[in-house]
Amino acid sequence: MYLRRIALQNFRNHEQTTLDFKSRLIFFIGNNGEGKTNLLESISLLSYLKSFRESDENQLLKWDSPFTFVRAEFEAGGEDYVFEYGIEKGQFKRKKIKINGEVIKKVSDSVGYFRSVILSPPDIQIIESGNVERRRFLDSFISSTNKNYLHHLIEYNRLLKQRNHTLKKETATDKEIEIWNEPLIERDSEIRKIRSETISRLNVFFEKNLNLLSQGKDPFHITYKPNVLSEENHRDRLIGNLRKDRAIGYTSCGSHRDDIPIGFDDKDLSSFGSQGQKRSAVIALKTASFQMILEDTGEAPVLLIDDIIRELDVKRREYFLNLILECGQAFFTTTDLEGIKEYVGNLEIDKEIFVIQNGKVSQGFEK
């Protein structure tokens, strides 16, 4: 997996930026707010089709600009690809995605071409904020490589929205609400199956990684506790909870309520873990996702690392270096050149440095 070129128009604070990459290690240097993380964000769109920072796509557009456009050229599996992503803001927002010139009509058809793993400071919320952030991470990770899962997830969320909308209508009959039950049950069953298989595999890598990071001191693991246990159980609960769901105005059972504990016994890291333990857990989790993609595809994903190395102690930095050696390509953001020398200065790998100031990019050099 290798990104050769990316071109941006009106993306965040980048009015017109085109970068060519010839190395495995690329560094974006700049003060906070200059636009270095925006570059990582544009690269992540190739995998996730959405920002890892914002839920509102309109935020990707440069201020007062009517459109944004990203074009990337990359190599994956020995083949060349051209990816194009555009948003036009008018009376109705229009988004268009092309791969090798072909318009992608379904979001699920665009996954799996460019695979990447993002590590950024907000990732700590996966541990600290509990199940909502963990489900979001899991859905994003699985969807980036599994178009069937993404299709089921999109459909499940659409059906759930429709059922919730009907629940809020005072005039809706029981039959008008229950018409959504069977389609929801069917999608939930597929989501539950894939989540269970994924977490089981992910946990093997996670435990191994965490054991290395903590030198055996943190025997934590990931568990999957689905909100419903089977199609029959789901059906019974949807029917049995109907009066309650009408009263609260939303569907109270299903995969959108799954629990994903990280810790041991009945204790979750969110309630007892130190900051060091939480950081180690995040690194172990993100590394596990990297390793699963590598095992499944035979090709290492691209690493996108947003200014987090300084927060880590020597032990965790050394672990990061080993991960970098395994990847095909890694993109870092940092605030100064000295930060580079602290953790990758001794790596015998070609490096490229780009300096970002107010959305303008220039080539930099090591000192």
Side-chain angles (χ1 to χ4, degrees), residues 287-351:
T287 307
S289 65
F290 175 96
Q291 292 163 334
M292 267 190 68
I293 292 173
L294 177 58
E295 183 175 89
D296 288 345
T297 67
E299 187 173 40
V302 168
L303 281 175
L304 305 175
I305 304 170
D306 187 23
D307 204 19
I308 65 169
I309 305 297
R310 287 178 174 277
E311 299 179 2
L312 307 179
D313 57 26
V314 173
K315 176 181 62 179
R316 295 181 179 89
R317 289 184 186 185
E318 289 176 352
Y319 187 80
F320 243 101
L321 292 184
N322 292 329
L323 181 62
I324 293 165
L325 288 171
E326 293 179 18
C327 78
Q329 197 176 28
F331 293 82
F332 290 80
T333 66
T334 187
T335 53
D336 57 66
L337 293 173
E338 289 303 314
I340 293 176
K341 294 179 181 179
E342 288 178 11
Y343 49 86
V344 297
N346 295 324
L347 287 182
E348 297 299 323
I349 300 176
D350 290 340
K351 310 176 187 71

Side-chain angles (χ1 to χ4, degrees), residues 52-282:
F52 67 87
R53 304 158 72 191
E54 300 277 358
S55 58
D56 183 3
E57 290 178 330
N58 289 326
Q59 297 298 318
L60 301 179
L61 278 69
K62 194 175 189 299
W63 183 255
D64 284 341
S65 174
F67 74 95
T68 187
F69 182 70
V70 177
R71 186 182 189 276
E73 299 173 19
F74 62 91
E75 178 188 336
E79 297 186 27
D80 294 329
Y81 294 94
V82 176
F83 173 96
E84 295 170 285
Y85 177 101
I87 297 176
E88 185 178 4
K89 187 170 66 173
Q91 184 178 1
F92 301 100
K93 184 179 73 176
R94 295 194 302 170
K95 181 167 70 172
K96 183 177 288 188
I97 299 167
K98 289 184 179 180
I99 297 176
N100 290 346
E102 182 179 346
V103 176
I104 303 300
K105 295 181 180 179
K106 291 198 303 182
V107 171
S108 57
D109 288 339
S110 62
V111 304
Y113 288 93
F114 186 88
R115 295 175 289 274
S116 64
V117 173
I118 306 160
L119 299 102
S120 66
D123 288 338
I124 196 72
Q125 294 302 315
I126 298 171
I127 304 301
E128 292 183 338
S129 296
N131 291 307
V132 173
E133 288 299 324
R134 292 172 194 178
R135 287 194 300 267
R136 185 175 288 122
F137 158 75
L138 189 67
D139 287 342
S140 181
F141 167 57
I142 302 174
S143 295
S144 69
T145 58
N146 188 328
K147 64 177 61 180
N148 288 329
Y149 181 82
L150 180 56
H151 174 69
H152 290 309
L153 188 65
I154 291 171
E155 280 299 297
Y156 179 87
N157 288 330
R158 183 186 67 81
L159 293 163
L160 183 66
K161 184 177 180 181
Q162 291 287 349
R163 189 178 193 271
N164 289 346
H165 177 73
T166 310
L167 283 166
K168 291 180 174 70
K169 292 170 63 176
E170 292 184 6
T171 58
T173 65
D174 287 356
K175 286 187 176 180
E176 287 176 316
I177 297 170
E178 290 172 350
I179 196 173
W180 303 107
N181 288 6
E182 289 306 316
L184 265 178
I185 291 167
E186 181 182 347
R187 299 298 181 185
D188 181 276
S189 178
E190 295 295 332
I191 291 169
R192 186 171 64 252
K193 177 182 176 183
I194 297 173
R195 280 183 179 177
S196 178
E197 292 171 351
T198 300
I199 290 177
S200 179
R201 290 186 58 210
L202 196 66
N203 185 59
V204 174
F205 291 109
F206 174 79
E207 289 185 347
K208 181 179 178 181
N209 296 336
L210 194 57
N211 183 62
L212 291 171
L213 273 167
S214 69
Q215 297 176 329
K217 296 177 182 177
D218 296 331
F220 308 139
H221 50 265
I222 311 169
T223 308
Y224 180 49
K225 293 185 176 181
N227 185 259
V228 296
L229 303 178
S230 64
E231 292 188 18
E232 183 179 359
N233 176 243
H234 196 182
R235 187 175 294 109
D236 290 343
R237 289 182 61 188
L238 284 171
I239 295 171
N241 290 355
L242 183 56
R243 181 177 294 181
K244 171 187 171 183
D245 289 356
R246 274 185 175 277
I248 60 179
Y250 62 85
T251 304
S252 59
C253 65
S255 60
H256 61 290
R257 310 276 296 197
D258 285 351
D259 289 343
I260 309 173
I262 300 177
F264 65 94
D265 297 333
D266 291 327
K267 298 180 181 178
D268 193 278
L269 265 173
S270 61
S271 60
F272 75 84
S274 67
Q275 283 302 111
Q277 287 175 319
K278 291 174 182 178
R279 287 196 183 103
S280 290
V282 169

